[in-house]
Amino acid sequence: MATNHKLKIVPLGGLGEVGKNMLAIEYGRNVLIIDAGVMFPEQDMLGIDLVIPDYSQYLKDKKDWVRGIVVTHGHEDHIGALPYLLAEINAPVYATRLTIGLIEVKLQKNRLASRANLNIVAAGDRLSLGGMFEVEFFHVCHSIPDSVGLAIRTPVGLMVHTGDFKFDHTPTWGAPPDFGALARFGAEGVLVLLSDSTNADNPGFTSSEKTVDEGLNKVFREAKGRIILATFGSLISRVQQVINAAARHNRVVAVEGRSLEESVERAQALGYLDVPPGVLVDLTKLKGRPDHQVVIIATGSQGEPSAALGRMANGKHRHITIKAGDTVVMSSRVIPGNDRLVARAVNKLFKRGARVISGKADNVHVSGHASQEELKLLLSLVRPKYFVPVHGELRHLHAHAELARGQGIPAQNIFVVENGAVVEFDESSARVADRVPGGWVFVDGSSVGDIGPIVLRDREILSQDGFVLAVVRLDQKTGRLVGRPQIITRGFVFVKENLDLIERSEEEVIAALRMNGQQDPQITIRKALSELLYSETQRQPMVIPVVIGA
Ligand SMILES: [Zn+2]
Ligand SMILES: [Zn+2]
């Protein structure tokens, strides 16, 4: 086999940020894609629904090279971009049974399910892709069942990718981590390790999922009324724990929120949720049941006003009205940037009389990601020659690199890189080679990638100072103003109390048009009005001239 090609690691998402994980590896004319996730928009990305990796340019002339897409687990930040990716390339997808099930749910919404090539694998399986990559899937523990890491044998050497993981000795689902496989890779000799950095700045060990059982038990013992628990749709292990606690305390469980209902239904159908008969009920069947027998698992753990919990907090939910005696449990991580939204929702829930329990302090949530001691253990089992921290903001990647140096990996063998920086390997050396685009692609409604920084900038201006529309009629022959300009505003000032300013704006437009008769009326109006409004109000609304020929 010719080995004169280099092995390239191409991070397309998830390096330098939390979310939208996606990575390609390339050898000759062979590309293997690992995960294709989404990121939820940050607060300054106004109106954006989702953010996906910017893979289009990298893949543009490589569409026929893609031998497969391997997916480590079913979380949104690993599968969410697949509907968009599969609309562009036609490559087989390989993942474990639950992950494939959750991918199918996504693809059905985009009507791609029938033509996608989905293949189920299991931990321990090996498959050869394109003759150049042999992928071995190994079992890891995370907050969703059926998570795997990848050992990929390439002509240049063995690469190990952990996916998301933690070393949980008492997981909610499945066996403890496969330490045997990790040690075996170490003995075989690992060229490069890519490892989850999400919690690399967290000392010690991440608690086991088991501790959440204790936290939930306490909540269930103390709650006198209904229990409403907010979590992510894809935290299937947490849903299992709530079902177990409910069964122990003679409560029934209803699931509310579309993403949650879909993933719970799919996980149950595939046998990944163990539900005692009668415990899971429809929300509409709760009527008449005493409060102390009810649990509702709801979406909205990030404080999103449109999700189930957000609607309850705002008193806008069709079936559930929050009242004194309710216990609300926030059982998930707060994604950085969502803190304010969550705080607002929690305040509103308290105001309506609920008791709200959240986070680590009450043991109602533990992270699904390894902390420092686990990351060190992984490094000493796998003993890689080179190390690339993945999945995390730059501060997490650097903290992880620090740990690796402490474990004896030379600094020049550690690559802290962000999206788009290609790391290239041959048998004896490694370096950061070229750059590929690694930015953001915004999804807004049905539009993918049409919304860029300019549109977002406009939205920002509109959100801060609103807009002022100046409608003028100009004589087509003479270019002279016909009648008076009309000023319309939204989100800028309250017109009824600012009639004076509106009138002065009209006069300003008339004067400006008279003085600058030769210039483009659009530019004239925009400039004159912007200046007047700023000097009068110290605000900068978006000024939109509308010129009609008369
Ligand atoms: Zn995950
Ligand atoms: Zn993840």
Side-chain angles (χ1 to χ4, degrees):
M1 194 189 296
T3 63
N4 44 7
H5 296 298
K6 298 198 167 173
L7 175 70
K8 290 180 184 176
I9 291 180
V10 187
L12 295 166
L15 275 75
E17 64 192 356
V18 170
K20 74 174 177 63
N21 299 293
M22 181 172 182
L23 187 116
I25 62 174
E26 192 182 317
Y27 182 82
R29 295 187 161 210
N30 298 278
V31 170
L32 181 69
I33 292 172
I34 300 170
D35 293 336
V38 293
M39 186 165 86
F40 296 102
E42 288 171 20
Q43 253 170 357
D44 54 357
M45 300 177 187
L46 297 165
I48 298 299
D49 300 324
L50 287 174
V51 187
I52 62 173
D54 184 7
Y55 48 74
S56 293
Q57 292 184 64
Y58 166 70
L59 286 176
K60 195 171 61 192
D61 42 13
K62 299 189 180 71
K63 287 183 182 167
D64 300 331
W65 299 7
V66 182
R67 307 294 166 222
I69 302 164
V70 285
V71 182
T72 57
H73 64 287
H75 281 160
E76 284 295 325
D77 57 327
H78 298 258
I79 68 171
L82 278 172
Y84 308 100
L85 179 64
L86 290 175
E88 277 188 44
I89 62 167
N90 192 5
V93 178
Y94 302 90
T96 55
R97 209 159 64 92
L98 176 62
T99 309
I100 290 284
L102 295 171
I103 292 171
E104 268 172 352
V105 172
K106 292 217 143 300
L107 295 181
Q108 271 157 10
K109 267 183 243 166
N110 292 268
R111 294 189 202 89
L112 282 165
S114 54
R115 69 176 171 94
N117 178 352
L118 305 179
N119 304 274
I120 293 175
V121 296
D125 285 358
R126 293 181 182 212
L127 54 116
S128 173
L129 296 175
M132 287 298 167
F133 305 120
E134 193 212 63
V135 184
E136 177 182 343
F137 298 84
F138 62 93
H139 167 71
V140 297
C141 295
H142 186 39
S143 47
I144 183 169
D146 243 4
S147 297
V148 288
L150 311 165
I152 304 170
R153 292 176 182 85
T154 76
V156 180
L158 172 59
M159 171 182 148
V160 173
H161 188 304
T162 62
D164 285 352
F165 82 102
K166 68 174 175 179
F167 285 155
D168 193 339
H169 304 287
T170 50
T172 301
W173 178 91
D178 191 350
F179 293 110
L182 295 171
R184 177 161 54 80
F185 303 142
E188 186 179 329
V190 173
L191 177 72
V192 53
L193 170 68
L194 287 74
S195 175
D196 177 9
S197 312
T198 311
N199 276 351
D201 55 358
N202 197 33
F205 291 88
T206 300
S207 302
S208 169
E209 298 284 313
K210 210 76 220 161
T211 59
V212 174
D213 287 341
E214 292 154 25
L216 288 177
N217 254 334
K218 184 162 178 289
V219 171
F220 276 64
R221 252 196 332 266
E222 290 172 0
K224 301 272 183 288
R226 297 183 298 187
I227 296 173
I228 297 159
L229 183 135
T231 193
F232 277 119
S234 49
L235 279 182
I236 298 296
S237 303
R238 188 63 37 82
V239 173
Q240 180 70 62
Q241 290 177 304
V242 176
I243 287 171
N244 295 347
R248 278 196 300 271
H249 292 87
N250 299 315
R251 287 177 183 252
V252 295
V253 178
V255 175
E256 169 61 354
R258 205 166 63 133
S259 62
L260 200 60
E261 286 167 57
E262 283 168 353
S263 45
V264 165
E265 197 178 300
R266 187 55 68 116
Q268 197 187 2
L270 292 173
Y272 288 89
L273 267 181
D274 186 11
V275 187
V279 170
L280 215 48
V281 300
D282 200 86
L283 192 69
T284 54
K285 301 268 160 63
L286 291 178
K287 266 216 174 82
R289 204 176 267 276
D291 287 348
H292 67 271
Q293 291 178 7
V294 170
V295 183
I296 297 154
I297 307 180
T299 53
S301 62
Q302 303 304 305
E304 318 92 297
S306 59
L309 188 73
R311 279 180 278 136
M312 294 176 207
N314 288 319
K316 286 187 178 147
H317 196 280
R318 271 195 299 155
H319 301 293
I320 300 155
T321 309
I322 298 289
K323 59 187 181 194
D326 287 341
T327 303
V328 177
V329 183
M330 308 295 284
S331 182
S332 82
R333 174 176 81 108
V334 175
I335 295 175
N338 290 347
D339 317 54
R340 272 319 300 161
L341 273 181
V342 172
R344 202 176 299 159
V346 168
N347 286 334
K348 286 179 180 166
L349 291 163
F350 271 119
K351 201 169 200 166
R352 289 176 187 277
R355 178 182 174 220
V356 185
I357 293 170
S358 49
K360 266 190 201 160
D362 292 293
N363 275 339
V364 290
H365 176 63
V366 292
S367 170
H369 301 271
S371 298
Q372 290 179 349
E373 295 305 316
E374 297 155 273
L375 297 173
K376 287 190 220 166
L377 178 52
L378 176 86
L379 281 157
S380 61
L381 283 168
V382 175
R383 288 178 285 138
K385 181 171 179 190
Y386 298 105
F387 176 57
V388 182
V390 297
H391 302 176
E393 294 175 16
L394 211 45
R395 60 199 171 99
H396 304 123
L397 305 182
H398 276 287
H400 206 174
E402 183 76 41
L403 296 177
R405 278 196 294 277
Q407 297 289 106
I409 299 183
Q412 69 270 21
N413 287 11
I414 300 171
F415 293 91
V416 175
V417 292
E418 289 187 273
N419 298 337
V422 179
V423 189
E424 196 178 80
F425 300 84
D426 57 28
E427 274 109 343
S428 56
S429 67
R431 64 190 185 100
V432 177
D434 29 320
R435 280 213 141 265
V436 300
W440 292 335
V441 171
F442 298 125
V443 180
D444 183 7
S446 63
S447 113
V448 181
D450 305 341
I451 310 281
I454 293 171
V455 175
L456 281 190
R457 174 84 194 116
D458 282 353
R459 289 183 183 178
E460 198 187 326
I461 295 170
L462 290 170
S463 76
Q464 281 164 3
D465 292 326
F467 69 82
V468 174
L469 213 65
V471 186
V472 296
R473 298 173 154 275
L474 298 183
D475 186 293
Q476 271 166 332
K477 284 202 197 85
T478 63
R480 286 235 195 86
L481 184 64
V482 180
R484 272 185 83 80
Q486 201 188 349
I487 304 289
I488 300 163
T489 89
R490 290 290 184 276
F492 171 54
V493 291
F494 186 45
V495 172
K496 280 191 181 154
E497 286 171 5
N498 289 276
L499 289 174
D500 182 46
L501 180 64
I502 301 297
E503 198 170 312
R504 248 176 314 140
S505 300
E506 293 171 5
E507 296 301 334
E508 185 72 20
V509 171
I510 295 168
L513 285 173
R514 194 178 298 140
M515 273 179 56
N516 302 296
Q518 305 307 312
Q519 279 180 20
D520 179 349
Q522 304 251 4
I523 295 171
T524 303
I525 295 170
R526 192 176 297 126
K527 187 163 175 293
L529 257 190
S530 298
E531 278 167 13
L532 172 79
L533 295 173
Y534 182 73
S535 74
E536 294 293 318
T537 65
Q538 265 71 60
R539 278 182 272 160
Q540 291 175 298
M542 182 181 289
V543 174
I544 309 168
V546 179
V547 178
I548 304 167

